[in-house]
Amino acid sequence: MSNNTMMSKVENDRVLVLERVFNAPRDKVFKMFKEPEYLKQWWGPRGWELPVCNMEFKPGGVYHYCMKCVDQNQGEFYGMESWGKAFYKEIVEPEKIVYVDYFSDEDGKTNDIMPATSVTAEFVEMDGKTKLVNRCEYASAEGLKTVLDMGAIQGITETWDRLEELLRNKK
């Protein structure tokens, strides 16, 4: 299990680099990011669902989504919705996805107070496994700190655990 843990490091005070090896071929891992019916099964921390997942997976396309907490054990988070909107900049299948992710509202209006994340996700083939390298760049060190203080590492760890489980069950 140790090789499936997520590694995280901060570069230049405003770039969060996350890496994890998934026990599945690159094409399959990439497909999980590309197709809404798969995204709905893993995108978000444990106890959260993706009731809204509107996606145009192409450069210039938009991904507007809503994560909703459906786990009553999560106390004050139960019933909470978190809306986001991502703009795809570059897609090189099955190697790379580049997008900018914003907090938004249900109408798709982006929240300019919360930090936006410029994400480059790279899918590296490793003998039938896939190393996912996610570079999350923020405009400032404060922006990165805001997101880290919100529990981003735990959230992404749980999200990628769910992705690993889905890959395992989708033989």
Side-chain angles (χ1 to χ4, degrees):
M1 182 67 197
S2 60
N3 65 342
N4 283 8
T5 52
M6 186 177 79
M7 315 264 276
S8 64
K9 64 181 182 211
V10 172
E11 295 176 352
N12 305 330
D13 291 336
R14 57 186 192 86
V15 181
L16 177 64
V17 182
L18 306 169
E19 288 185 12
R20 179 163 173 174
V21 175
F22 291 93
N23 193 9
R26 180 166 74 167
D27 290 354
K28 189 173 171 185
V29 176
F30 192 91
K31 193 178 190 176
M32 297 291 152
F33 284 77
K34 174 184 176 179
E35 300 187 9
E37 66 267 27
Y38 290 131
L39 269 174
K40 284 183 177 166
Q41 297 176 61
W42 67 269
W43 187 276
R46 292 200 187 280
W48 291 68
E49 287 181 355
L50 200 64
V52 177
C53 179
N54 299 322
M55 173 182 229
E56 302 167 274
F57 191 75
K58 61 176 199 238
V62 173
Y63 170 37
H64 185 222
Y65 60 93
C66 173
M67 294 186 298
K68 182 169 186 166
C69 183
V70 294
D71 177 4
Q72 296 188 343
N73 297 322
Q74 294 193 24
E76 65 198 42
F77 291 111
Y78 178 65
M80 183 185 274
E81 291 184 352
S82 176
W83 288 85
K85 190 172 185 180
F87 297 87
Y88 293 109
K89 301 285 190 206
E90 183 187 356
I91 295 171
V92 183
E93 194 161 349
E95 297 167 22
K96 182 164 72 164
I97 306 170
V98 180
Y99 62 96
V100 183
D101 200 2
Y102 295 87
F103 289 88
S104 80
D105 64 15
E106 62 185 291
D107 297 322
K109 181 173 179 347
T110 56
N111 179 335
D112 298 327
I113 298 160
M114 294 297 292
T117 312
S118 296
V119 180
T120 301
E122 287 184 272
F123 300 79
V124 183
E125 176 67 49
M126 294 176 61
D127 296 325
K129 296 184 178 185
T130 305
K131 178 159 84 168
L132 176 58
V133 181
N134 231 30
R135 291 183 60 85
C136 306
E137 192 166 331
Y138 295 87
S140 66
E142 294 76 37
L144 173 56
K145 183 179 182 325
T146 298
V147 172
L148 290 175
D149 289 347
M150 289 170 66
I153 300 286
Q154 183 188 347
I156 296 166
T157 299
E158 291 180 10
T159 297
W160 285 5
D161 284 348
R162 291 176 67 195
L163 174 56
E164 177 73 45
E165 289 155 19
L166 180 61
L167 288 162
R168 205 170 33 233
N169 296 329
K170 283 257 184 288
K171 288 284 182 247

mmCIF file of all heavy atoms in Angstrom, residues 8-18 103 113-118 134-153 156:
data_model
loop_
_atom_site.group_PDB
_atom_site.id
_atom_site.type_symbol
_atom_site.label_atom_id
_atom_site.label_comp_id
_atom_site.label_asym_id
_atom_site.label_seq_id
_atom_site.Cartn_x
_atom_site.Cartn_y
_atom_site.Cartn_z
ATOM 1 N N SER A 8 3.124 14.976 -1.302
ATOM 2 C CA SER A 8 2.837 16.386 -1.560
ATOM 3 C C SER A 8 4.031 17.233 -1.155
ATOM 4 O O SER A 8 4.728 16.911 -0.201
ATOM 5 C CB SER A 8 1.589 16.842 -0.799
ATOM 6 O OG SER A 8 1.798 16.765 0.587
ATOM 7 N N LYS A 9 4.265 18.281 -1.927
ATOM 8 C CA LYS A 9 5.330 19.227 -1.582
ATOM 9 C C LYS A 9 4.937 20.588 -2.130
ATOM 10 O O LYS A 9 4.152 20.698 -3.072
ATOM 11 C CB LYS A 9 6.679 18.764 -2.126
ATOM 12 C CG LYS A 9 6.741 18.707 -3.634
ATOM 13 C CD LYS A 9 8.092 18.208 -4.142
ATOM 14 C CE LYS A 9 8.106 18.220 -5.662
ATOM 15 N NZ LYS A 9 8.906 17.211 -6.269
ATOM 16 N N VAL A 10 5.495 21.620 -1.517
ATOM 17 C CA VAL A 10 5.232 22.986 -1.967
ATOM 18 C C VAL A 10 6.509 23.532 -2.592
ATOM 19 O O VAL A 10 7.594 23.385 -2.033
ATOM 20 C CB VAL A 10 4.781 23.875 -0.779
ATOM 21 C CG1 VAL A 10 4.698 25.335 -1.215
ATOM 22 C CG2 VAL A 10 3.438 23.398 -0.247
ATOM 23 N N GLU A 11 6.359 24.134 -3.777
ATOM 24 C CA GLU A 11 7.493 24.765 -4.458
ATOM 25 C C GLU A 11 7.209 26.257 -4.598
ATOM 26 O O GLU A 11 6.082 26.652 -4.887
ATOM 27 C CB GLU A 11 7.668 24.172 -5.865
ATOM 28 C CG GLU A 11 8.047 22.702 -5.872
ATOM 29 C CD GLU A 11 8.118 22.127 -7.286
ATOM 30 O OE1 GLU A 11 7.730 22.830 -8.247
ATOM 31 O OE2 GLU A 11 8.554 20.978 -7.418
ATOM 32 N N ASN A 12 8.235 27.072 -4.428
ATOM 33 C CA ASN A 12 8.134 28.527 -4.636
ATOM 34 C C ASN A 12 6.995 29.173 -3.848
ATOM 35 O O ASN A 12 6.422 30.161 -4.310
ATOM 36 C CB ASN A 12 7.944 28.843 -6.124
ATOM 37 C CG ASN A 12 9.041 28.239 -6.973
ATOM 38 O OD1 ASN A 12 10.165 28.091 -6.501
ATOM 39 N ND2 ASN A 12 8.727 27.874 -8.188
ATOM 40 N N ASP A 13 6.622 28.595 -2.716
ATOM 41 C CA ASP A 13 5.595 29.161 -1.817
ATOM 42 C C ASP A 13 4.182 29.184 -2.393
ATOM 43 O O ASP A 13 3.254 29.523 -1.692
ATOM 44 C CB ASP A 13 5.940 30.606 -1.401
ATOM 45 C CG ASP A 13 7.148 30.649 -0.490
ATOM 46 O OD1 ASP A 13 7.420 29.629 0.170
ATOM 47 O OD2 ASP A 13 7.815 31.683 -0.456
ATOM 48 N N ARG A 14 4.012 28.893 -3.675
ATOM 49 C CA ARG A 14 2.662 28.999 -4.231
ATOM 50 C C ARG A 14 2.278 27.893 -5.204
ATOM 51 O O ARG A 14 1.269 27.974 -5.896
ATOM 52 C CB ARG A 14 2.461 30.380 -4.873
ATOM 53 C CG ARG A 14 3.433 30.720 -5.945
ATOM 54 C CD ARG A 14 3.291 32.148 -6.444
ATOM 55 N NE ARG A 14 4.042 32.360 -7.661
ATOM 56 C CZ ARG A 14 3.580 32.102 -8.875
ATOM 57 N NH1 ARG A 14 2.365 31.649 -9.051
ATOM 58 N NH2 ARG A 14 4.338 32.290 -9.935
ATOM 59 N N VAL A 15 3.120 26.848 -5.265
ATOM 60 C CA VAL A 15 2.815 25.700 -6.126
ATOM 61 C C VAL A 15 2.753 24.451 -5.255
ATOM 62 O O VAL A 15 3.702 24.117 -4.550
ATOM 63 C CB VAL A 15 3.886 25.509 -7.231
ATOM 64 C CG1 VAL A 15 3.522 24.316 -8.119
ATOM 65 C CG2 VAL A 15 4.022 26.779 -8.065
ATOM 66 N N LEU A 16 1.613 23.782 -5.297
ATOM 67 C CA LEU A 16 1.427 22.534 -4.570
ATOM 68 C C LEU A 16 1.546 21.398 -5.581
ATOM 69 O O LEU A 16 0.813 21.361 -6.571
ATOM 70 C CB LEU A 16 0.038 22.519 -3.915
ATOM 71 C CG LEU A 16 -0.348 21.248 -3.172
ATOM 72 C CD1 LEU A 16 0.572 21.005 -1.971
ATOM 73 C CD2 LEU A 16 -1.804 21.340 -2.712
ATOM 74 N N VAL A 17 2.506 20.506 -5.338
ATOM 75 C CA VAL A 17 2.709 19.380 -6.240
ATOM 76 C C VAL A 17 2.254 18.108 -5.527
ATOM 77 O O VAL A 17 2.713 17.808 -4.423
ATOM 78 C CB VAL A 17 4.193 19.244 -6.654
ATOM 79 C CG1 VAL A 17 4.370 18.088 -7.641
ATOM 80 C CG2 VAL A 17 4.700 20.548 -7.257
ATOM 81 N N LEU A 18 1.335 17.396 -6.163
ATOM 82 C CA LEU A 18 0.791 16.159 -5.601
ATOM 83 C C LEU A 18 1.104 15.026 -6.562
ATOM 84 O O LEU A 18 0.912 15.165 -7.770
ATOM 85 C CB LEU A 18 -0.725 16.282 -5.434
ATOM 86 C CG LEU A 18 -1.197 17.494 -4.626
ATOM 87 C CD1 LEU A 18 -2.701 17.657 -4.750
ATOM 88 C CD2 LEU A 18 -0.797 17.347 -3.174
ATOM 89 N N PHE A 103 -13.658 28.596 -7.594
ATOM 90 C CA PHE A 103 -14.884 28.442 -6.829
ATOM 91 C C PHE A 103 -15.952 29.215 -7.599
ATOM 92 O O PHE A 103 -15.673 30.256 -8.184
ATOM 93 C CB PHE A 103 -14.730 29.009 -5.420
ATOM 94 C CG PHE A 103 -13.833 28.180 -4.544
ATOM 95 C CD1 PHE A 103 -12.458 28.398 -4.519
ATOM 96 C CD2 PHE A 103 -14.362 27.179 -3.740
ATOM 97 C CE1 PHE A 103 -11.631 27.632 -3.710
ATOM 98 C CE2 PHE A 103 -13.531 26.402 -2.929
ATOM 99 C CZ PHE A 103 -12.173 26.629 -2.918
ATOM 100 N N ILE A 113 -13.013 36.182 -4.995
ATOM 101 C CA ILE A 113 -12.410 36.387 -3.673
ATOM 102 C C ILE A 113 -11.585 35.159 -3.290
ATOM 103 O O ILE A 113 -10.508 35.259 -2.734
ATOM 104 C CB ILE A 113 -13.507 36.657 -2.618
ATOM 105 C CG1 ILE A 113 -14.260 37.948 -2.988
ATOM 106 C CG2 ILE A 113 -12.905 36.774 -1.225
ATOM 107 C CD1 ILE A 113 -15.599 38.072 -2.343
ATOM 108 N N MET A 114 -12.123 33.969 -3.635
ATOM 109 C CA MET A 114 -11.410 32.729 -3.330
ATOM 110 C C MET A 114 -10.309 32.501 -4.371
ATOM 111 O O MET A 114 -10.455 32.876 -5.524
ATOM 112 C CB MET A 114 -12.384 31.551 -3.361
ATOM 113 C CG MET A 114 -13.432 31.602 -2.254
ATOM 114 S SD MET A 114 -12.702 31.512 -0.607
ATOM 115 C CE MET A 114 -12.087 29.821 -0.637
ATOM 116 N N PRO A 115 -9.203 31.839 -3.948
ATOM 117 C CA PRO A 115 -8.100 31.655 -4.883
ATOM 118 C C PRO A 115 -8.440 30.677 -6.008
ATOM 119 O O PRO A 115 -9.017 29.617 -5.764
ATOM 120 C CB PRO A 115 -6.974 31.101 -4.006
ATOM 121 C CG PRO A 115 -7.601 30.675 -2.740
ATOM 122 C CD PRO A 115 -8.906 31.367 -2.596
ATOM 123 N N ALA A 116 -8.075 31.056 -7.231
ATOM 124 C CA ALA A 116 -8.197 30.139 -8.366
ATOM 125 C C ALA A 116 -6.963 29.237 -8.391
ATOM 126 O O ALA A 116 -5.901 29.611 -7.889
ATOM 127 C CB ALA A 116 -8.299 30.928 -9.660
ATOM 128 N N THR A 117 -7.114 28.062 -8.966
ATOM 129 C CA THR A 117 -6.027 27.094 -9.049
ATOM 130 C C THR A 117 -5.720 26.796 -10.504
ATOM 131 O O THR A 117 -6.613 26.370 -11.239
ATOM 132 C CB THR A 117 -6.437 25.766 -8.368
ATOM 133 O OG1 THR A 117 -7.000 26.035 -7.084
ATOM 134 C CG2 THR A 117 -5.250 24.839 -8.213
ATOM 135 N N SER A 118 -4.480 27.033 -10.911
ATOM 136 C CA SER A 118 -4.049 26.604 -12.247
ATOM 137 C C SER A 118 -3.462 25.212 -12.114
ATOM 138 O O SER A 118 -2.448 25.024 -11.424
ATOM 139 C CB SER A 118 -2.979 27.544 -12.805
ATOM 140 O OG SER A 118 -3.543 28.827 -12.977
ATOM 141 N N ASN A 134 0.093 16.167 -10.202
ATOM 142 C CA ASN A 134 -0.812 17.318 -10.231
ATOM 143 C C ASN A 134 -0.052 18.530 -9.715
ATOM 144 O O ASN A 134 0.336 18.553 -8.549
ATOM 145 C CB ASN A 134 -1.975 17.019 -9.273
ATOM 146 C CG ASN A 134 -3.317 17.231 -9.914
ATOM 147 O OD1 ASN A 134 -3.482 17.059 -11.114
ATOM 148 N ND2 ASN A 134 -4.287 17.593 -9.109
ATOM 149 N N ARG A 135 0.162 19.514 -10.577
ATOM 150 C CA ARG A 135 0.792 20.772 -10.152
ATOM 151 C C ARG A 135 -0.301 21.820 -10.027
ATOM 152 O O ARG A 135 -0.947 22.151 -11.014
ATOM 153 C CB ARG A 135 1.830 21.235 -11.170
ATOM 154 C CG ARG A 135 3.066 20.370 -11.243
ATOM 155 C CD ARG A 135 4.073 20.941 -12.237
ATOM 156 N NE ARG A 135 4.497 22.285 -11.882
ATOM 157 C CZ ARG A 135 5.471 22.573 -11.027
ATOM 158 N NH1 ARG A 135 6.120 21.610 -10.422
ATOM 159 N NH2 ARG A 135 5.793 23.832 -10.771
ATOM 160 N N CYS A 136 -0.501 22.330 -8.820
ATOM 161 C CA CYS A 136 -1.554 23.312 -8.546
ATOM 162 C C CYS A 136 -0.875 24.633 -8.217
ATOM 163 O O CYS A 136 -0.234 24.761 -7.176
ATOM 164 C CB CYS A 136 -2.397 22.863 -7.360
ATOM 165 S SG CYS A 136 -3.056 21.191 -7.552
ATOM 166 N N GLU A 137 -1.029 25.583 -9.125
ATOM 167 C CA GLU A 137 -0.330 26.858 -8.959
ATOM 168 C C GLU A 137 -1.316 27.952 -8.560
ATOM 169 O O GLU A 137 -2.414 28.035 -9.111
ATOM 170 C CB GLU A 137 0.359 27.222 -10.276
ATOM 171 C CG GLU A 137 1.334 28.355 -10.119
ATOM 172 C CD GLU A 137 2.265 28.487 -11.328
ATOM 173 O OE1 GLU A 137 2.559 27.482 -11.998
ATOM 174 O OE2 GLU A 137 2.676 29.634 -11.573
ATOM 175 N N TYR A 138 -0.903 28.766 -7.597
ATOM 176 C CA TYR A 138 -1.738 29.857 -7.095
ATOM 177 C C TYR A 138 -1.068 31.184 -7.391
ATOM 178 O O TYR A 138 0.143 31.262 -7.537
ATOM 179 C CB TYR A 138 -1.984 29.682 -5.592
ATOM 180 C CG TYR A 138 -2.793 28.447 -5.320
ATOM 181 C CD1 TYR A 138 -2.171 27.210 -5.172
ATOM 182 C CD2 TYR A 138 -4.180 28.494 -5.299
ATOM 183 C CE1 TYR A 138 -2.918 26.051 -4.987
ATOM 184 C CE2 TYR A 138 -4.930 27.346 -5.114
ATOM 185 C CZ TYR A 138 -4.295 26.137 -4.966
ATOM 186 O OH TYR A 138 -5.033 25.003 -4.806
ATOM 187 N N ALA A 139 -1.870 32.235 -7.448
ATOM 188 C CA ALA A 139 -1.337 33.568 -7.752
ATOM 189 C C ALA A 139 -0.422 34.064 -6.640
ATOM 190 O O ALA A 139 0.461 34.882 -6.869
ATOM 191 C CB ALA A 139 -2.488 34.550 -7.966
ATOM 192 N N SER A 140 -0.632 33.549 -5.424
ATOM 193 C CA SER A 140 0.163 34.024 -4.289
ATOM 194 C C SER A 140 0.327 32.922 -3.256
ATOM 195 O O SER A 140 -0.430 31.944 -3.257
ATOM 196 C CB SER A 140 -0.553 35.205 -3.615
ATOM 197 O OG SER A 140 -1.767 34.742 -3.036
ATOM 198 N N ALA A 141 1.294 33.105 -2.375
ATOM 199 C CA ALA A 141 1.480 32.176 -1.255
ATOM 200 C C ALA A 141 0.235 32.171 -0.367
ATOM 201 O O ALA A 141 -0.157 31.139 0.168
ATOM 202 C CB ALA A 141 2.716 32.575 -0.450
ATOM 203 N N GLU A 142 -0.421 33.332 -0.233
ATOM 204 C CA GLU A 142 -1.634 33.419 0.597
ATOM 205 C C GLU A 142 -2.746 32.561 0.007
ATOM 206 O O GLU A 142 -3.507 31.931 0.738
ATOM 207 C CB GLU A 142 -2.129 34.876 0.697
ATOM 208 C CG GLU A 142 -1.190 35.818 1.444
ATOM 209 C CD GLU A 142 0.042 36.218 0.617
ATOM 210 O OE1 GLU A 142 -0.079 36.396 -0.607
ATOM 211 O OE2 GLU A 142 1.137 36.320 1.200
ATOM 212 N N GLY A 143 -2.843 32.573 -1.318
ATOM 213 C CA GLY A 143 -3.862 31.756 -1.986
ATOM 214 C C GLY A 143 -3.672 30.281 -1.686
ATOM 215 O O GLY A 143 -4.620 29.566 -1.348
ATOM 216 N N LEU A 144 -2.429 29.829 -1.786
ATOM 217 C CA LEU A 144 -2.129 28.428 -1.478
ATOM 218 C C LEU A 144 -2.436 28.138 -0.013
ATOM 219 O O LEU A 144 -3.048 27.119 0.313
ATOM 220 C CB LEU A 144 -0.663 28.113 -1.798
ATOM 221 C CG LEU A 144 -0.177 26.729 -1.355
ATOM 222 C CD1 LEU A 144 -1.031 25.609 -1.924
ATOM 223 C CD2 LEU A 144 1.288 26.536 -1.750
ATOM 224 N N LYS A 145 -2.049 29.037 0.880
ATOM 225 C CA LYS A 145 -2.298 28.823 2.310
ATOM 226 C C LYS A 145 -3.794 28.719 2.594
ATOM 227 O O LYS A 145 -4.232 27.870 3.370
ATOM 228 C CB LYS A 145 -1.670 29.955 3.132
ATOM 229 C CG LYS A 145 -1.834 29.747 4.636
ATOM 230 C CD LYS A 145 -1.197 30.857 5.433
ATOM 231 C CE LYS A 145 -1.280 30.673 6.929
ATOM 232 N NZ LYS A 145 -2.485 30.050 7.461
ATOM 233 N N THR A 146 -4.592 29.562 1.939
ATOM 234 C CA THR A 146 -6.046 29.518 2.116
ATOM 235 C C THR A 146 -6.582 28.124 1.802
ATOM 236 O O THR A 146 -7.366 27.547 2.549
ATOM 237 C CB THR A 146 -6.731 30.555 1.192
ATOM 238 O OG1 THR A 146 -6.284 31.854 1.570
ATOM 239 C CG2 THR A 146 -8.245 30.497 1.315
ATOM 240 N N VAL A 147 -6.134 27.578 0.671
ATOM 241 C CA VAL A 147 -6.621 26.276 0.226
ATOM 242 C C VAL A 147 -6.115 25.168 1.153
ATOM 243 O O VAL A 147 -6.868 24.257 1.518
ATOM 244 C CB VAL A 147 -6.208 26.048 -1.249
ATOM 245 C CG1 VAL A 147 -6.519 24.642 -1.688
ATOM 246 C CG2 VAL A 147 -6.926 27.046 -2.142
ATOM 247 N N LEU A 148 -4.860 25.253 1.574
ATOM 248 C CA LEU A 148 -4.325 24.249 2.502
ATOM 249 C C LEU A 148 -5.076 24.295 3.832
ATOM 250 O O LEU A 148 -5.392 23.251 4.416
ATOM 251 C CB LEU A 148 -2.825 24.461 2.719
ATOM 252 C CG LEU A 148 -1.925 24.140 1.524
ATOM 253 C CD1 LEU A 148 -0.483 24.517 1.830
ATOM 254 C CD2 LEU A 148 -2.023 22.664 1.142
ATOM 255 N N ASP A 149 -5.374 25.516 4.306
ATOM 256 C CA ASP A 149 -6.096 25.667 5.578
ATOM 257 C C ASP A 149 -7.512 25.112 5.492
ATOM 258 O O ASP A 149 -8.120 24.771 6.512
ATOM 259 C CB ASP A 149 -6.140 27.135 6.015
ATOM 260 C CG ASP A 149 -4.773 27.641 6.471
ATOM 261 O OD1 ASP A 149 -3.860 26.813 6.674
ATOM 262 O OD2 ASP A 149 -4.621 28.865 6.622
ATOM 263 N N MET A 150 -8.068 25.036 4.275
ATOM 264 C CA MET A 150 -9.406 24.476 4.084
ATOM 265 C C MET A 150 -9.382 22.948 4.073
ATOM 266 O O MET A 150 -10.419 22.314 3.931
ATOM 267 C CB MET A 150 -10.001 24.965 2.758
ATOM 268 C CG MET A 150 -10.379 26.431 2.774
ATOM 269 S SD MET A 150 -10.800 27.022 1.105
ATOM 270 C CE MET A 150 -12.279 26.082 0.766
ATOM 271 N N GLY A 151 -8.184 22.351 4.166
ATOM 272 C CA GLY A 151 -8.104 20.890 4.213
ATOM 273 C C GLY A 151 -7.892 20.237 2.856
ATOM 274 O O GLY A 151 -8.283 19.091 2.641
ATOM 275 N N ALA A 152 -7.252 20.959 1.953
ATOM 276 C CA ALA A 152 -7.073 20.444 0.592
ATOM 277 C C ALA A 152 -6.346 19.102 0.548
ATOM 278 O O ALA A 152 -6.731 18.219 -0.212
ATOM 279 C CB ALA A 152 -6.320 21.470 -0.263
ATOM 280 N N ILE A 153 -5.300 18.953 1.361
ATOM 281 C CA ILE A 153 -4.518 17.702 1.295
ATOM 282 C C ILE A 153 -5.382 16.501 1.665
ATOM 283 O O ILE A 153 -5.423 15.501 0.956
ATOM 284 C CB ILE A 153 -3.266 17.768 2.210
ATOM 285 C CG1 ILE A 153 -2.348 18.913 1.800
ATOM 286 C CG2 ILE A 153 -2.542 16.425 2.202
ATOM 287 C CD1 ILE A 153 -1.546 18.696 0.541
ATOM 288 N N ILE A 156 -7.999 15.884 -1.134
ATOM 289 C CA ILE A 156 -7.473 15.257 -2.350
ATOM 290 C C ILE A 156 -7.030 13.827 -2.057
ATOM 291 O O ILE A 156 -7.209 12.935 -2.888
ATOM 292 C CB ILE A 156 -6.343 16.108 -2.971
ATOM 293 C CG1 ILE A 156 -6.920 17.461 -3.417
ATOM 294 C CG2 ILE A 156 -5.719 15.390 -4.167
ATOM 295 C CD1 ILE A 156 -5.889 18.509 -3.741
#
